[in-house]
Amino acid sequence: MDNAKWTFGLTMMIVGMGGTFLTLWILGLVMDLLKKVFPLVTTANSPEKK
Protein backbone atom coordinates (compact mmCIF):
# COMPACT_ATOMS: atom_id res chain seq x y z
CA MET A 1 0.00 0.00 0.00
CA ASP A 2 1.04 3.57 -0.62
CA ASN A 3 1.64 5.37 2.67
CA ALA A 4 1.12 8.78 1.06
CA LYS A 5 -2.54 7.95 0.41
CA TRP A 6 -3.07 6.86 4.02
CA THR A 7 -1.32 9.96 5.32
CA PHE A 8 -3.40 12.22 3.09
CA GLY A 9 -6.61 10.45 4.12
CA LEU A 10 -5.88 10.73 7.85
CA THR A 11 -4.86 14.36 7.46
CA MET A 12 -8.07 15.21 5.64
CA MET A 13 -10.09 13.37 8.29
CA ILE A 14 -8.46 15.32 11.13
CA VAL A 15 -8.81 18.65 9.32
CA GLY A 16 -12.45 17.89 8.51
CA MET A 17 -13.27 16.99 12.11
CA GLY A 18 -11.45 20.07 13.37
CA GLY A 19 -13.34 22.29 10.95
CA THR A 20 -16.64 20.75 11.99
CA PHE A 21 -15.99 21.29 15.70
CA LEU A 22 -14.75 24.83 15.06
CA THR A 23 -17.92 25.62 13.13
CA LEU A 24 -20.12 24.19 15.90
CA TRP A 25 -18.22 26.23 18.51
CA ILE A 26 -18.68 29.43 16.48
CA LEU A 27 -22.40 28.72 16.08
CA GLY A 28 -22.67 28.20 19.84
CA LEU A 29 -21.04 31.58 20.44
CA VAL A 30 -23.43 33.24 17.99
CA MET A 31 -26.43 31.67 19.75
CA ASP A 32 -25.16 32.85 23.14
CA LEU A 33 -24.69 36.34 21.76
CA LEU A 34 -28.21 36.36 20.30
CA LYS A 35 -29.63 35.22 23.67
CA LYS A 36 -27.93 38.19 25.34
CA VAL A 37 -29.08 40.65 22.65
CA PHE A 38 -32.66 39.33 22.56
CA PRO A 39 -33.45 37.95 26.04
CA LEU A 40 -36.61 35.96 26.68
CA VAL A 41 -39.13 38.32 28.25
CA THR A 42 -41.53 36.84 30.78
CA THR A 43 -44.38 38.86 32.22
CA ALA A 44 -45.89 38.29 35.64
CA ASN A 45 -49.41 39.21 34.48
CA SER A 46 -49.58 36.78 31.60
CA PRO A 47 -52.73 34.65 31.47
CA GLU A 48 -52.14 31.08 32.52
CA LYS A 49 -53.45 28.14 30.55
CA LYS A 50 -56.14 26.09 32.23
PDB file of all heavy atoms in Angstrom, residues 25-40:
ATOM      1  N   TRP A  25     -18.578  25.329  17.422  1.00  0.00           N
ATOM      2  CA  TRP A  25     -18.217  26.226  18.513  1.00  0.00           C
ATOM      3  C   TRP A  25     -18.596  27.671  18.162  1.00  0.00           C
ATOM      4  O   TRP A  25     -19.152  28.382  18.994  1.00  0.00           O
ATOM      5  CB  TRP A  25     -16.724  26.104  18.793  1.00  0.00           C
ATOM      6  CG  TRP A  25     -16.238  26.998  19.887  1.00  0.00           C
ATOM      7  CD1 TRP A  25     -16.518  26.900  21.217  1.00  0.00           C
ATOM      8  CD2 TRP A  25     -15.407  28.150  19.722  1.00  0.00           C
ATOM      9  NE1 TRP A  25     -15.890  27.917  21.888  1.00  0.00           N
ATOM     10  CE2 TRP A  25     -15.193  28.699  21.007  1.00  0.00           C
ATOM     11  CE3 TRP A  25     -14.804  28.754  18.629  1.00  0.00           C
ATOM     12  CZ2 TRP A  25     -14.417  29.825  21.206  1.00  0.00           C
ATOM     13  CZ3 TRP A  25     -14.028  29.874  18.841  1.00  0.00           C
ATOM     14  CH2 TRP A  25     -13.845  30.400  20.110  1.00  0.00           C
ATOM     15  N   ILE A  26     -18.324  28.073  16.923  1.00  0.00           N
ATOM     16  CA  ILE A  26     -18.684  29.429  16.480  1.00  0.00           C
ATOM     17  C   ILE A  26     -20.195  29.610  16.498  1.00  0.00           C
ATOM     18  O   ILE A  26     -20.708  30.646  16.938  1.00  0.00           O
ATOM     19  CB  ILE A  26     -18.087  29.728  15.087  1.00  0.00           C
ATOM     20  CG1 ILE A  26     -16.568  29.832  15.195  1.00  0.00           C
ATOM     21  CG2 ILE A  26     -18.676  30.999  14.493  1.00  0.00           C
ATOM     22  CD1 ILE A  26     -15.853  29.912  13.869  1.00  0.00           C
ATOM     23  N   LEU A  27     -20.947  28.627  16.042  1.00  0.00           N
ATOM     24  CA  LEU A  27     -22.404  28.716  16.080  1.00  0.00           C
ATOM     25  C   LEU A  27     -22.924  28.814  17.519  1.00  0.00           C
ATOM     26  O   LEU A  27     -23.893  29.526  17.790  1.00  0.00           O
ATOM     27  CB  LEU A  27     -23.038  27.516  15.377  1.00  0.00           C
ATOM     28  CG  LEU A  27     -22.957  27.528  13.855  1.00  0.00           C
ATOM     29  CD1 LEU A  27     -23.455  26.203  13.284  1.00  0.00           C
ATOM     30  CD2 LEU A  27     -23.761  28.677  13.291  1.00  0.00           C
ATOM     31  N   GLY A  28     -22.292  28.094  18.430  1.00  0.00           N
ATOM     32  CA  GLY A  28     -22.673  28.199  19.838  1.00  0.00           C
ATOM     33  C   GLY A  28     -22.436  29.595  20.385  1.00  0.00           C
ATOM     34  O   GLY A  28     -23.250  30.130  21.131  1.00  0.00           O
ATOM     35  N   LEU A  29     -21.315  30.210  20.013  1.00  0.00           N
ATOM     36  CA  LEU A  29     -21.038  31.577  20.439  1.00  0.00           C
ATOM     37  C   LEU A  29     -22.063  32.554  19.869  1.00  0.00           C
ATOM     38  O   LEU A  29     -22.520  33.467  20.564  1.00  0.00           O
ATOM     39  CB  LEU A  29     -19.634  31.998  20.005  1.00  0.00           C
ATOM     40  CG  LEU A  29     -18.467  31.355  20.746  1.00  0.00           C
ATOM     41  CD1 LEU A  29     -17.152  31.843  20.154  1.00  0.00           C
ATOM     42  CD2 LEU A  29     -18.526  31.653  22.221  1.00  0.00           C
ATOM     43  N   VAL A  30     -22.440  32.365  18.613  1.00  0.00           N
ATOM     44  CA  VAL A  30     -23.431  33.239  17.985  1.00  0.00           C
ATOM     45  C   VAL A  30     -24.771  33.088  18.696  1.00  0.00           C
ATOM     46  O   VAL A  30     -25.459  34.088  18.959  1.00  0.00           O
ATOM     47  CB  VAL A  30     -23.557  32.937  16.475  1.00  0.00           C
ATOM     48  CG1 VAL A  30     -24.757  33.631  15.867  1.00  0.00           C
ATOM     49  CG2 VAL A  30     -22.278  33.344  15.758  1.00  0.00           C
ATOM     50  N   MET A  31     -25.155  31.869  19.051  1.00  0.00           N
ATOM     51  CA  MET A  31     -26.429  31.667  19.750  1.00  0.00           C
ATOM     52  C   MET A  31     -26.401  32.309  21.131  1.00  0.00           C
ATOM     53  O   MET A  31     -27.387  32.916  21.560  1.00  0.00           O
ATOM     54  CB  MET A  31     -26.748  30.178  19.852  1.00  0.00           C
ATOM     55  CG  MET A  31     -27.187  29.583  18.530  1.00  0.00           C
ATOM     56  SD  MET A  31     -27.784  27.896  18.672  1.00  0.00           S
ATOM     57  CE  MET A  31     -26.278  27.014  18.986  1.00  0.00           C
ATOM     58  N   ASP A  32     -25.270  32.194  21.843  1.00  0.00           N
ATOM     59  CA  ASP A  32     -25.165  32.849  23.145  1.00  0.00           C
ATOM     60  C   ASP A  32     -25.258  34.365  23.009  1.00  0.00           C
ATOM     61  O   ASP A  32     -25.897  35.032  23.822  1.00  0.00           O
ATOM     62  CB  ASP A  32     -23.848  32.477  23.831  1.00  0.00           C
ATOM     63  CG  ASP A  32     -23.850  31.045  24.339  1.00  0.00           C
ATOM     64  OD1 ASP A  32     -24.945  30.471  24.498  1.00  0.00           O
ATOM     65  OD2 ASP A  32     -22.747  30.504  24.566  1.00  0.00           O
ATOM     66  N   LEU A  33     -24.626  34.902  21.986  1.00  0.00           N
ATOM     67  CA  LEU A  33     -24.693  36.343  21.759  1.00  0.00           C
ATOM     68  C   LEU A  33     -26.122  36.785  21.450  1.00  0.00           C
ATOM     69  O   LEU A  33     -26.597  37.788  21.975  1.00  0.00           O
ATOM     70  CB  LEU A  33     -23.768  36.733  20.602  1.00  0.00           C
ATOM     71  CG  LEU A  33     -23.760  38.198  20.203  1.00  0.00           C
ATOM     72  CD1 LEU A  33     -23.144  39.036  21.316  1.00  0.00           C
ATOM     73  CD2 LEU A  33     -23.004  38.398  18.914  1.00  0.00           C
ATOM     74  N   LEU A  34     -26.826  36.018  20.628  1.00  0.00           N
ATOM     75  CA  LEU A  34     -28.209  36.355  20.304  1.00  0.00           C
ATOM     76  C   LEU A  34     -29.112  36.260  21.530  1.00  0.00           C
ATOM     77  O   LEU A  34     -30.057  37.043  21.674  1.00  0.00           O
ATOM     78  CB  LEU A  34     -28.730  35.442  19.188  1.00  0.00           C
ATOM     79  CG  LEU A  34     -28.175  35.721  17.795  1.00  0.00           C
ATOM     80  CD1 LEU A  34     -28.638  34.654  16.817  1.00  0.00           C
ATOM     81  CD2 LEU A  34     -28.600  37.099  17.323  1.00  0.00           C
ATOM     82  N   LYS A  35     -28.838  35.312  22.433  1.00  0.00           N
ATOM     83  CA  LYS A  35     -29.625  35.218  23.669  1.00  0.00           C
ATOM     84  C   LYS A  35     -29.412  36.446  24.543  1.00  0.00           C
ATOM     85  O   LYS A  35     -30.319  36.885  25.239  1.00  0.00           O
ATOM     86  CB  LYS A  35     -29.240  33.962  24.454  1.00  0.00           C
ATOM     87  CG  LYS A  35     -29.769  32.688  23.856  1.00  0.00           C
ATOM     88  CD  LYS A  35     -29.333  31.496  24.682  1.00  0.00           C
ATOM     89  CE  LYS A  35     -29.712  30.195  24.027  1.00  0.00           C
ATOM     90  NZ  LYS A  35     -29.241  29.029  24.799  1.00  0.00           N
ATOM     91  N   LYS A  36     -28.200  36.992  24.544  1.00  0.00           N
ATOM     92  CA  LYS A  36     -27.935  38.191  25.336  1.00  0.00           C
ATOM     93  C   LYS A  36     -28.530  39.429  24.681  1.00  0.00           C
ATOM     94  O   LYS A  36     -28.994  40.339  25.369  1.00  0.00           O
ATOM     95  CB  LYS A  36     -26.428  38.370  25.531  1.00  0.00           C
ATOM     96  CG  LYS A  36     -25.843  37.338  26.459  1.00  0.00           C
ATOM     97  CD  LYS A  36     -24.366  37.530  26.661  1.00  0.00           C
ATOM     98  CE  LYS A  36     -23.842  36.422  27.564  1.00  0.00           C
ATOM     99  NZ  LYS A  36     -22.398  36.553  27.778  1.00  0.00           N
ATOM    100  N   VAL A  37     -28.528  39.494  23.361  1.00  0.00           N
ATOM    101  CA  VAL A  37     -29.076  40.652  22.652  1.00  0.00           C
ATOM    102  C   VAL A  37     -30.596  40.642  22.714  1.00  0.00           C
ATOM    103  O   VAL A  37     -31.231  41.681  22.908  1.00  0.00           O
ATOM    104  CB  VAL A  37     -28.583  40.677  21.190  1.00  0.00           C
ATOM    105  CG1 VAL A  37     -29.293  41.758  20.398  1.00  0.00           C
ATOM    106  CG2 VAL A  37     -27.074  40.892  21.139  1.00  0.00           C
ATOM    107  N   PHE A  38     -31.207  39.473  22.541  1.00  0.00           N
ATOM    108  CA  PHE A  38     -32.664  39.334  22.562  1.00  0.00           C
ATOM    109  C   PHE A  38     -33.069  38.376  23.679  1.00  0.00           C
ATOM    110  O   PHE A  38     -33.383  37.209  23.426  1.00  0.00           O
ATOM    111  CB  PHE A  38     -33.174  38.790  21.217  1.00  0.00           C
ATOM    112  CG  PHE A  38     -32.788  39.620  20.042  1.00  0.00           C
ATOM    113  CD1 PHE A  38     -31.820  39.170  19.153  1.00  0.00           C
ATOM    114  CD2 PHE A  38     -33.377  40.847  19.824  1.00  0.00           C
ATOM    115  CE1 PHE A  38     -31.456  39.936  18.058  1.00  0.00           C
ATOM    116  CE2 PHE A  38     -33.020  41.619  18.733  1.00  0.00           C
ATOM    117  CZ  PHE A  38     -32.058  41.168  17.853  1.00  0.00           C
ATOM    118  N   PRO A  39     -33.099  38.858  24.934  1.00  0.00           N
ATOM    119  CA  PRO A  39     -33.451  37.949  26.036  1.00  0.00           C
ATOM    120  C   PRO A  39     -34.932  37.572  26.000  1.00  0.00           C
ATOM    121  O   PRO A  39     -35.761  38.307  25.462  1.00  0.00           O
ATOM    122  CB  PRO A  39     -33.132  38.774  27.285  1.00  0.00           C
ATOM    123  CG  PRO A  39     -33.209  40.189  26.839  1.00  0.00           C
ATOM    124  CD  PRO A  39     -32.814  40.196  25.397  1.00  0.00           C
ATOM    125  N   LEU A  40     -35.232  36.428  26.597  1.00  0.00           N
ATOM    126  CA  LEU A  40     -36.606  35.957  26.680  1.00  0.00           C
ATOM    127  C   LEU A  40     -37.331  36.778  27.743  1.00  0.00           C
ATOM    128  O   LEU A  40     -36.927  36.803  28.901  1.00  0.00           O
ATOM    129  CB  LEU A  40     -36.644  34.471  27.033  1.00  0.00           C
ATOM    130  CG  LEU A  40     -38.010  33.821  27.116  1.00  0.00           C
ATOM    131  CD1 LEU A  40     -38.713  33.895  25.765  1.00  0.00           C
ATOM    132  CD2 LEU A  40     -37.881  32.382  27.564  1.00  0.00           C
TER     133      LEU A  40
END
